[in-house]
Structures are given as C-alpha cells and as structure tokens.
Amino acid sequence: MSVVEQFPYCDRNPASGGLDLMPDLLIVLRHQSYSVSSVGLVDSGASISVLPYALGVQLGFDWNTQKAQITLAGTLAHVDARGIVVEAAVGQLSPVRLALAWANSNQVPFLLGQVNFFQAFDVCFFRTRGAFEIRQPGVSSFP
C-alpha cells in the first residue's frame, strides 16, 4: 500500500477561472457487506465529518437503531445527526475507520473534518499548485 497520495483540486465552476477549486476527494466507504463511492470535501475547518442521509442508507444503516446522538454546529445546527463508524479507503492508502455524523438530511454536504478524518490522515494543501496530499500517519514531513 502507498503511504502518500496526491489529488487534484476539483474546479466546481470552470467558468470562474479557477476561483472555485476545492479539495474534493473520492472516497470508498464500507459497512458490513455494503460499499459506496462518493466525493467528500476535505475541510480542515469542519470540526466533525458529516455524511448525508442517503449515503448512510446506501451503507445499510437504519436511522432508528442508531442511538449515538451528535450535535452539529454552525449552519448545520438545526440538523439531527447520529454517530456511525465505517471503513474508509482513499486511493491506495491503507483503509481506516472513520467516525461520521450521519445527518438526517440530504441537504448537507459530505464533509471530511477534524473528527476523525484529520486524526486518521495527515493532509497538506497546495492551493497554488491545485493539489493536496494525504499521508498515512508517521510518514516523514511534507516538502
């Protein structure tokens, strides 16, 4: 398995001339026999990783059986959320367990935040180069 992966920023609006470049990341989530690929925003400003409702359902979760209530903040403070744990695979990096706040709404973005995406991976943003790197913990420092 690789210990470092580099990903390009995604241009969400090509007409903007590069002003809408975002660190969007294709990630594979697994729970029991279910698997789903989705794009999440790598967001160092998000205190917690947030998963939209439909993705949780695709992973086989049942809202009514999830007991760990999570309080979201900011613009998502009005949305109920439950804590879930999934296996996550990013590129060729070793899979990790991610704790996610599964939101009871599809109107929330899929966010990869401090808890616990940034605890599972080291991330370095190179916005001027239009790229970001993700490393497994314990790998030597970024250039």
Side-chain angles (χ1 to χ4, degrees):
M1 290 275 165
S2 175
V3 293
V4 179
E5 289 275 333
Q6 187 173 84
F7 301 93
Y9 272 70
C10 295
D11 196 345
R12 291 187 175 177
N13 179 8
S16 72
L19 294 177
D20 281 340
L21 292 177
M22 293 291 178
D24 289 333
L25 179 67
L26 179 63
I27 187 168
V28 177
L29 304 176
R30 293 183 187 94
H31 172 69
Q32 296 175 348
S33 63
Y34 300 94
S35 178
V36 64
S37 294
S38 190
V39 174
L41 175 66
V42 180
D43 186 353
S44 63
S47 58
I48 192 166
S49 297
V50 178
L51 188 72
Y53 184 79
L55 290 178
V57 170
Q58 289 176 32
L59 287 166
F61 287 100
D62 176 358
W63 182 264
N64 296 318
T65 62
Q66 303 307 312
K67 302 300 180 197
Q69 294 188 17
I70 304 291
T71 301
L72 299 177
T75 60
L76 302 179
H78 66 284
V79 178
D80 288 335
R82 301 286 186 263
I84 60 173
V85 177
V86 300
E87 181 182 85
V90 174
Q92 297 300 310
L93 301 173
S94 298
V96 298
R97 289 173 54 86
L98 284 186
L100 303 169
W102 179 30
N104 192 15
S105 172
N106 286 318
Q107 302 306 309
V108 301
F110 179 17
L111 299 175
L112 299 165
Q114 294 294 326
V115 175
N116 74 324
F117 187 82
F118 282 82
Q119 292 169 309
F121 297 107
D122 291 325
V123 180
C124 190
F125 299 99
F126 302 103
R127 178 66 164 76
T128 58
R129 295 186 221 164
F132 61 102
E133 287 185 355
I134 299 178
R135 294 177 182 243
Q136 299 284 174
V139 176
S140 62
S141 62
F142 290 96

